[in-house]
Amino acid sequence: SGTDSAAGTERAPLKTIARARDLAREAEKPVTVHLRGGQYLLGDPVVFGVQDGGVTDQAYRGEAPVATPAVPVPWGSRVGSGWPYRRRP
């Protein structure tokens, strides 16, 4: 749960990994992003680059976050460079 207009704190969590990445880029480094347990549906890939140095992404203690494509991909299919992912129509 959460909303991407929130502050990104424990009491006001963000909804998406992409928004957490964006806020972490603006923060003073080093910074740790704690991903809460549950499923994160990715409509588009979340890309990390050199600007994300000094940022650690980790599961919140005792929880298991899972990032999955928003559109199911048939088992064994290859899309693009081989990553099993396809964009929404």
Side-chain angles (χ1 to χ4, degrees):
S1 69
T3 177
D4 281 346
S5 61
T9 64
E10 189 170 7
R11 288 185 155 203
L14 299 169
K15 183 174 183 173
T16 65
I17 295 172
R19 181 65 180 139
R21 177 211 51 209
D22 294 345
L23 281 181
R25 286 178 175 170
E26 300 168 8
E28 186 176 329
K29 308 299 185 282
V31 64
T32 300
V33 174
H34 295 276
L35 299 172
R36 299 302 304 250
Q39 186 176 39
Y40 293 85
L41 297 176
L42 305 177
D44 290 308
V46 179
V47 178
F48 296 91
V50 295
Q51 68 271 37
D52 300 305
V55 177
T56 301
D57 295 293
Q58 67 183 33
Y60 192 80
R61 65 182 171 270
E63 296 186 9
V66 177
T68 60
V71 176
V73 178
W75 177 257
S77 65
R78 291 184 176 259
V79 179
S81 64
W83 177 251
Y85 172 84
R86 69 175 177 217
R87 292 182 183 267
R88 288 185 205 192

